[in-house]
């Protein structure tokens, strides 16, 4: 095609181990070595002077037009990642429980936000009962017939509720009684996202864990930063 042909010399970037990725730091490309042995290329050791194709990690000249980002390997990784995200979204069946005083209704707003994650099977309102009965009300809502087809249940305390932070603690305390396996790191991540939107939201106590013998996940949160949280979970 009239373009100058370049050849490259290969030198090792250091000791190669599965636990040592720093050797990639100064690499210009990934060399494709054939399978060794009788079932492969017939030899097991690459010696000086042999030539093998290389996937460049970045262009090394004006003629270095084919890089790793253009390769079938990178494309397959991307398609697998997109497929995982699509499967995750299609497998989520959301249930929403809104904890709020009688007469308020924010379920539509919350459902619209969380629908980014997957289909909302049911959205219900848990009107705040008398003190001491919240645990029973949440347990009945989580295990009720309306939620039987869901596998991810969001228990949301709207920011418009007067005692949002105190109620958040009460909700978390009640959910710990029914959670079989907590996911503290996920709860902390959600708290940080909410706090990045509103510092006061960092005071809200999030709880995440499995319920119903591990067949579903329950998440308690406020609607502050809920859109950003949903984006991070996609």
């Amino acid at each position: 095609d009239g373009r100058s042909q370049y050849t490259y010399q290969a030198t090792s970037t250091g000791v190669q181990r599965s636990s040592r990725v720093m050797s990639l730091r100064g690499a210009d490309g990934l060399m494709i070595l054939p399978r060794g042995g009788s079932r492969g290329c017939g030899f097991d050791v690459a010696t000086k002077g042999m030539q093998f194709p290389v996937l460049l990690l970045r262009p090394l000249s004006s003629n270095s037009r084919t890089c790793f980002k253009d390769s079938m390997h990178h494309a397959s990784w991307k398609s697998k990642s997109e497929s995982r995200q699509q499967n995750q979204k299609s497998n989520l069946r959301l249930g929403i429980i809104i904890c709020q005083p009688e007469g308020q209704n924010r379920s539509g707003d919350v459902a619209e936000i969380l629908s980014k994650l997957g289909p909302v099977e049911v959205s219900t309102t848990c009107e705040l009962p008398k003190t001491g009965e919240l645990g029973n009300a949440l347990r009945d809502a989580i295990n009720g017939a309306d939620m039987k087809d869901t596998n991810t249940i969001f228990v949301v305390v709207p920011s418009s509720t007067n005692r949002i932070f105190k109620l958040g603690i009460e909700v978390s305390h009640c959910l710990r009684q029914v959670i079989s396996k907590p996911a503290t790191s996920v709860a902390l991540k959600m708290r940080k996202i909410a706090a990045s939107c509103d510092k006061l939201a960092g005071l809200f106590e999030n709880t995440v864990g499995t319920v119903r013998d591990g067949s579903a996940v329950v998440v308690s949160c406020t609607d502050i930063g809920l859109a950003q949280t949903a984006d991070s979970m996609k």
Side-chain angles (χ1 to χ4, degrees), residues 36-55:
S38 57
R39 294 185 178 182
C41 61
F43 56 88
D44 295 321
V45 178
T47 58
K48 182 177 180 180
M50 288 184 174
Q51 295 184 358
F52 300 97
V54 172
L55 290 174

Side-chain angles (χ1 to χ4, degrees), residues 86-215:
Q86 185 62 36
N87 289 337
Q88 182 184 36
K89 183 171 182 178
S90 62
N91 290 334
L92 282 178
R93 301 185 302 278
L94 302 179
I96 302 172
I97 301 172
I98 310 292
C99 293
Q100 59 192 15
E102 185 178 358
Q104 295 184 8
N105 191 349
R106 295 291 305 279
S107 58
D109 298 339
V110 173
E112 183 179 354
I113 294 173
L114 292 179
S115 63
K116 298 177 181 179
L117 298 177
V120 177
E121 299 287 339
V122 58
S123 179
T124 185
T125 298
C126 179
E127 293 184 351
L128 299 182
K130 296 178 181 178
T131 304
E133 298 179 1
L134 179 59
N136 292 332
L138 287 174
R139 187 181 294 108
D140 291 344
I142 291 171
N143 296 316
D146 289 343
M147 293 287 176
K148 66 181 179 65
D149 293 326
T150 64
N151 56 19
T152 306
I153 302 171
F154 280 81
V155 180
V156 182
V157 179
S159 54
S160 57
T161 304
N162 288 333
R163 50 193 188 92
I164 173 177
F165 301 118
K166 184 178 180 181
L167 181 57
I169 293 174
E170 293 177 8
V171 169
S172 291
H173 174 73
C174 294
L175 290 180
R176 289 194 194 100
Q177 311 307 312
V178 298
I179 285 177
S180 56
K181 186 177 181 181
T184 308
S185 60
V186 178
L188 180 59
K189 180 181 178 180
M190 294 180 63
R191 196 170 186 174
K192 287 181 177 179
I193 292 173
S196 68
C197 302
D198 186 334
K199 292 181 179 179
L200 287 177
L203 299 174
F204 188 89
E205 186 168 349
N206 298 91
T207 302
V208 182
T210 56
V211 293
R212 298 193 320 221
D213 298 324
S215 65

